Amino acid sequence: MVSLDVEHPDLEVRIALWEKIVSLRSILKEEFLSSSTFEDCFLLENGKELSRVYVVLNQVSIHNKNTWRETMVFLNQSMISFERFFYEYQEMLSD
């Protein structure tokens, strides 16, 4: 999984930022990561709540040498796509 997490101690700030990301959903899906999933309320194992956009590659494992290449390509491409999205819309997201 590669994710773009939105977390902030102030819930109102988190919600405002999340709404900006959601407003760009179609752009993110059409131009960057078509298989991205949006979750406004994602609960981590430690009980922390955040908002998350993520992509997943199923049936691979970094612990399985046979899927390393596929996994690393996925991680690399997904991280680069999230980064490109963020930098392209950074001004809008930081206002």
Side-chain angles (χ1 to χ4, degrees):
M1 175 190 326
V2 178
S3 67
L4 174 64
D5 292 349
V6 179
E7 57 180 299
H8 195 280
D10 184 335
L11 181 59
E12 289 181 22
V13 172
R14 186 181 111 205
I15 290 170
L17 179 54
W18 179 247
E19 287 174 351
K20 291 177 185 180
I21 291 172
V22 169
S23 73
L24 297 168
R25 179 189 314 229
S26 61
I27 293 169
L28 178 63
K29 285 184 153 296
E30 290 171 15
E31 297 178 22
F32 298 93
L33 293 160
S34 62
S35 64
S36 57
T37 301
F38 286 67
E39 287 198 32
D40 62 342
C41 181
F42 189 92
L43 193 60
L44 299 176
E45 289 179 10
N46 65 3
K48 189 174 199 173
E49 182 181 297
L50 49 85
S51 300
R52 174 176 276 180
V53 180
Y54 64 94
V55 290
V56 176
L57 180 63
N58 294 312
Q59 300 175 347
V60 297
S61 172
I62 60 170
H63 304 291
N64 179 350
K65 283 186 173 184
N66 296 325
T67 63
W68 277 1
R69 179 155 180 73
E70 182 181 3
T71 302
M72 293 304 133
V73 167
F74 166 78
L75 292 172
N76 184 37
Q77 290 174 346
S78 299
M79 285 187 248
I80 288 171
S81 293
F82 268 125
E83 187 175 28
R84 283 182 33 241
F85 168 76
F86 179 79
Y87 285 131
E88 188 160 330
Y89 295 95
Q90 184 175 5
E91 271 188 41
M92 180 184 168
L93 296 172
S94 64
D95 288 341

